[in-house]
Amino acid sequence: MLRRKHHNATAVSLRVPEPAPPPDTRDDELASQDALLRRWVSFAEMQQRIIRTLVTEIQQTSAVVETEADGLSGRFQRLAVCAERQTARVEELSRLAIGIEVDGEVVPIAKIAGLLEGTLGDVVEKILLLSKDAMSMVYALSELTANVDRVDICMDELNKINRTTNMLALNARIEAERAGTAGAAFRVVAGEVRVLSGVTQRVSVDMATELKAVTQGIDNGHATLKRVATIDMSQNLLAKDRLEVLMSALIRRSGDLSDVVAGAMKEAEVISADVEGMITGIQFQDRTRQRLEHVVDTLHVVDEGLQELKRSTEAGLSVPYEKTAQDLEWVGKLLDRFTLGDLRARFVAQILEGKQPSEATAQQTAGDTPSASGTVELF
Amino acid sequence: MQIQVDRDHALISMSGEFTFTDHVPFKQMVEEVFATKGKAVVLDLSKLDFIDSAGLGMLLLARDEAKKNDCALILRHPSGQVKRMFGVTKFHTLFTVEE
């Protein structure tokens, strides 16, 4: 890479040598004019070389600009296509961030969270109701057990009464036998009482059997209900709490993602706009090329004018002109202002050494570079 | 779970863990406390460490008992797991809960 040092931007002093002292005689005057014309012709010769060298340089530079601009334009067009694809991807990402596609419909995440919360809330309500009803049934069964215990006590009392009644009936029968015929009616009553006591005893036994079955049923129900009531749903209830926290975090994340995607879309749009602007801007190259062509054309005209004038002046010279050291001096000072080593080398070859542009480029490529003034750094 | 009853101030302090196994003493306490109509009863839950779903069911039954006798039931200072359970089950919509 070439790094330029900037020189002081003052014009090079193209000092034309001082004119000859005023002539003493007419011959001297003519000789002086002749010398001046020769000097002018020599100067014009150098000007022409410089102009032609400049023309070559401008044409080559224009070609480089055109090539590079074409390359840049191609790259920017590819960049525009990529930017467009990126924008499409970001739009798709935005759509994905908003919700989840279910059966062809995009369901927003906030809505999913709402649905989940509603469903879980319903489950929690039902768990509470279940717990309350289970405990209610436990209480009811406990009361029923107490009732059954009281009935059992009553049954025991009844049995006692029955046994006493039976005993009394037996005693009455014995007394009736002792009373003989006078106790006949009493014997009948005692017999009936005994029969009644027997029936009561059988009914009591049946009731005890039924009561036992009821007690067994209550115990079984109690055991089942206890299993139901002791199922601890507290972890399931707390799971709803954890899920709500997770859903809130998911909604926040979705929101953050949407913000990032929105930012990315804006950036993508800016990039696309800038790239389109660059592609349009690179078209400056075509206008620049036309302007440079006009400059080159003008320089050609100047060159031709100089050539014509030089030829006609040379024809009038008594002594042909020759290149002088003064010509090389001011051109050398001009070239010393150049900071680009390769540019200076081409100018030296074409202006000072009179080589053709192709020769100057070939010489430079071969590495045969004239000594530079040391103002260009290569790295 | 331990239950301490302050009859003079209608304040019942519960401590430990409130589970199914406490249903008999809790029911007896509720029947006793809400026997007098029209009073406000406070359950101090500040020292209650844990409540399961059976415990929640028993509190709901206590609320029904209170309503039957025109009494008010207030739950005071739930904390930790008990507070979380009340939050998940939205108990503040069913009871007066004092934080």
Side-chain angles (χ1 to χ4, degrees):
Chain A
M1 181 173 172
L2 304 177
R3 194 198 300 163
R4 299 184 186 192
K5 283 186 184 172
H6 295 281
H7 283 269
N8 202 351
T10 51
V12 93
S13 56
L14 302 177
R15 268 188 295 115
V16 175
E18 298 287 329
D24 293 329
T25 64
R26 180 158 175 82
D27 288 337
D28 288 338
E29 191 178 306
L30 284 172
S32 175
Q33 285 177 349
D34 206 58
L36 197 60
L37 282 172
R38 281 198 298 279
R39 182 73 191 90
W40 183 89
V41 168
S42 173
F43 184 71
E45 167 72 19
M46 295 308 277
Q47 275 187 319
Q48 279 185 299
R49 286 193 187 182
I50 290 169
I51 286 169
R52 288 168 192 167
T53 307
L54 281 174
V55 163
T56 306
E57 198 64 30
I58 289 168
Q59 286 170 331
Q60 285 176 353
T61 303
S62 179
V64 165
V65 167
E66 187 170 354
T67 305
E68 292 301 317
D70 281 346
L72 275 173
S73 183
R75 286 196 195 96
F76 282 133
Q77 278 169 351
R78 282 194 298 277
L79 196 59
V81 169
C82 285
E84 217 173 291
R85 282 195 214 130
Q86 277 296 89
T87 302
R89 282 193 201 101
V90 166
E91 276 173 357
E92 176 67 16
L93 198 60
S94 172
R95 203 176 63 80
L96 289 172
I98 289 168
I100 298 168
E101 192 169 328
V102 178
D103 293 334
E105 182 196 344
V106 175
V107 183
I109 288 178
K111 191 176 174 187
I112 293 171
L115 282 170
L116 196 61
E117 191 179 339
T119 305
L120 289 173
D122 195 42
V123 168
V124 164
E125 252 184 69
K126 287 184 167 66
I127 289 175
L128 269 183
L129 195 61
L130 190 66
S131 299
K132 180 185 168 189
D133 288 348
M135 291 316 298
S136 180
M137 282 204 68
V138 166
Y139 288 162
L141 279 179
S142 297
E143 275 186 30
L144 201 56
T145 303
N147 289 340
V148 165
D149 288 344
R150 282 193 288 276
V151 168
D152 212 25
I153 293 168
C154 289
M155 288 296 297
D156 287 341
E157 287 294 321
L158 197 61
N159 282 334
K160 277 184 196 169
I161 291 168
N162 215 35
R163 279 197 296 275
T164 308
T165 305
N166 210 28
M167 191 61 70
L168 284 172
L170 193 63
N171 285 338
R173 178 68 190 272
I174 292 169
E175 292 303 323
E177 290 298 330
R178 278 196 189 145
T181 51
F186 193 66
R187 194 165 45 246
V188 167
V189 169
E192 291 300 317
V193 168
R194 204 151 172 242
V195 164
L196 195 65
S197 176
V199 169
T200 308
Q201 179 63 22
R202 278 194 302 279
V203 168
S204 181
V205 165
D206 290 343
M207 277 177 67
T209 307
E210 291 301 318
L211 203 61
K212 196 174 171 186
V214 166
T215 306
Q216 187 63 45
I218 290 171
D219 285 346
N220 290 343
H222 205 276
T224 305
L225 208 53
K226 186 180 174 185
R227 279 199 302 277
V228 169
T230 51
I231 294 172
D232 180 18
M233 308 280 273
S234 58
Q235 289 304 312
N236 304 85
L237 292 171
L238 289 173
K240 174 184 179 278
D241 192 35
R242 282 197 294 278
L243 275 167
E244 279 177 353
V245 168
L246 284 171
M247 286 311 295
S248 295
L250 194 62
I251 289 169
R252 269 198 313 276
R253 185 171 173 278
S254 173
D256 290 344
L257 196 60
S258 292
D259 289 342
V260 167
V261 164
M265 275 194 66
K266 274 189 195 157
E267 289 288 335
E269 281 164 12
V270 168
I271 289 170
S272 291
D274 280 351
V275 165
E276 276 179 32
M278 282 178 204
I279 292 169
T280 309
I282 279 179
Q283 290 162 5
F284 84 92
Q285 176 275 327
D286 187 61
R287 195 166 175 78
T288 306
R289 182 179 55 76
Q290 291 178 43
R291 287 165 68 179
L292 288 175
E293 280 174 358
H294 284 315
V295 168
V296 164
D297 192 51
T298 305
L299 288 172
H300 277 310
V301 168
V302 169
D303 182 31
E304 284 164 9
L306 276 173
Q307 183 65 21
E308 178 59 35
L309 196 56
K310 199 177 78 174
R311 202 172 45 78
S312 59
T313 307
E314 272 182 301
L317 289 175
S318 56
V319 175
Y321 89 96
E322 280 173 5
K323 220 182 314 188
T324 65
Q326 289 166 327
D327 294 327
L328 298 175
E329 187 190 335
W330 74 261
V331 172
K333 281 183 182 170
L334 169 69
L335 298 180
D336 280 348
R337 293 166 62 81
F338 288 10
T339 57
L340 286 178
D342 58 338
L343 175 70
R344 189 179 182 280
R346 281 196 299 275
F347 270 57
V348 164
Q350 290 174 64
I351 298 170
L352 294 183
E353 296 168 13
K355 289 190 167 68
Q356 292 300 310
S358 55
E359 284 181 81
T361 306
Q363 176 185 321
Q364 188 182 354
T365 308
D368 182 18
T369 314
S371 61
S373 62
T375 58
V376 175
E377 293 174 9
L378 297 171
F379 60 91
Chain B
M1 179 181 68
Q2 285 80 46
I3 303 175
Q4 282 180 327
V5 181
D6 180 354
R7 287 183 183 75
D8 296 334
H9 298 98
L11 177 67
I12 297 153
S13 301
M14 295 166 66
S15 59
E17 296 186 351
F18 188 16
T19 63
F20 174 82
T21 53
D22 304 305
H23 75 272
V24 170
F26 185 77
K27 184 171 183 285
Q28 283 171 351
M29 180 272 292
V30 163
E31 282 171 353
E32 186 190 317
V33 157
F34 291 118
T36 311
K37 288 182 184 291
K39 68 177 185 181
V41 175
V42 175
L43 285 184
D44 182 359
L45 308 175
S46 58
K47 290 183 183 145
L48 195 63
D49 301 320
F50 177 85
I51 185 168
D52 66 1
S53 47
L56 293 173
M58 282 188 269
L59 284 177
L60 289 170
L61 288 172
R63 184 184 75 138
D64 289 350
E65 188 68 21
K67 268 189 186 170
K68 210 162 63 177
N69 293 315
D70 292 323
C71 294
L73 177 58
I74 299 160
L75 306 179
R76 182 176 286 173
H77 298 323
S79 62
Q81 185 265 358
V82 177
K83 189 173 179 181
R84 279 185 70 195
M85 288 292 278
F86 283 9
V88 167
T89 54
K90 294 186 171 50
F91 249 37
H92 62 278
T93 61
L94 301 169
F95 290 88
T96 303
V97 179
E98 290 177 2
E99 298 291 340

